[in-house]
Amino acid sequence: MQCIYPGSFDPITLGHLDIIQRASQAFDCVYVTILLNHKKTYLFSVEERLAMIKKACAHIPNVQACYYDGLLTHFARSKKAQTILRGLRSASDFEFELQMANLNKQLAPEIETYFMATSPDLSYISSTAVRELAMFHADISKYVPISIVEDIQRKF
């Protein structure tokens, strides 16, 4: 069984990696997929984010980094994925994610959305916080995979 783990990953954090590692044990293939939200402004280009995902997940053989600019359900169907995986850090995440899951279910009834809670010790980490810390040259090594710390620091 294959799953899609979509997000902006601007940049990928240890919270994301926690979800990816656990998903890789439950699914045959995990497509870590950058989806564009045209309302957002990104710090890292798609190419930079793909490279960071590949570095961070290099030790996980059944993970593939992808990019898609379109509807998530269209991408899931193109990969023959039966599952969309969404990570949850807090109750406020759930409210938004449930709305998206219901919409996706209407668009593609054959695709299920699974929710996975981020490990409690990582639930406070967000890409936004990492970007802000990096902008002020703070140590981000506790929040992102070590393999991408320099990539992030170079941006500032």
Side-chain angles (χ1 to χ4, degrees):
M1 189 151 77
Q2 303 179 87
C3 81
I4 308 291
Y5 179 43
S8 56
F9 305 105
D10 189 35
I12 187 171
T13 68
L14 290 177
H16 294 130
L17 191 57
D18 171 57
I19 297 289
I20 294 164
Q21 288 173 321
R22 290 166 43 215
S24 74
Q25 296 170 1
F27 296 95
D28 299 322
C29 182
V30 178
Y31 294 100
V32 179
T33 307
I34 295 169
L35 289 178
L36 282 190
N37 178 341
H38 294 280
K39 296 176 187 172
K40 275 188 173 182
T41 302
Y42 299 102
L43 176 62
F44 295 96
S45 70
V46 169
E47 294 77 17
E48 289 170 320
R49 287 181 277 157
L50 281 171
M52 287 189 283
I53 292 167
K54 287 176 184 174
K55 277 185 189 180
C57 298
H59 64 288
I60 313 171
N62 61 332
V63 169
Q64 293 186 35
C66 305
Y67 160 73
Y68 190 73
D69 186 10
L71 288 177
L72 177 56
T73 53
H74 291 172
F75 181 72
R77 283 179 174 149
S78 77
K79 294 295 186 182
K80 298 185 178 19
Q82 304 86 354
T83 306
I84 295 169
L85 178 64
R86 298 300 294 162
L88 300 174
R89 290 177 298 155
S90 65
S92 61
D93 284 350
F94 180 72
E95 193 172 319
F96 172 77
E97 294 298 344
L98 181 61
Q99 182 180 10
M100 294 306 300
N102 289 333
L103 180 60
N104 287 334
K105 193 66 169 169
Q106 289 296 312
L107 295 170
E110 75 280 11
I111 300 173
E112 292 294 334
T113 298
Y114 288 12
F115 299 109
M116 186 180 288
T118 303
S119 295
D121 58 322
L122 300 171
S123 64
Y124 65 95
I125 300 171
S126 71
S127 295
T128 302
V130 168
R131 289 191 308 270
E132 189 162 336
L133 289 169
M135 181 172 64
F136 291 105
H137 307 288
D139 179 12
I140 57 170
S141 62
K142 296 179 206 159
Y143 313 113
V144 299
I146 292 298
S147 59
I148 67 165
V149 169
E150 287 183 17
D151 297 326
I152 297 168
Q153 289 172 336
R154 265 195 303 273
K155 201 69 167 177
F156 297 98

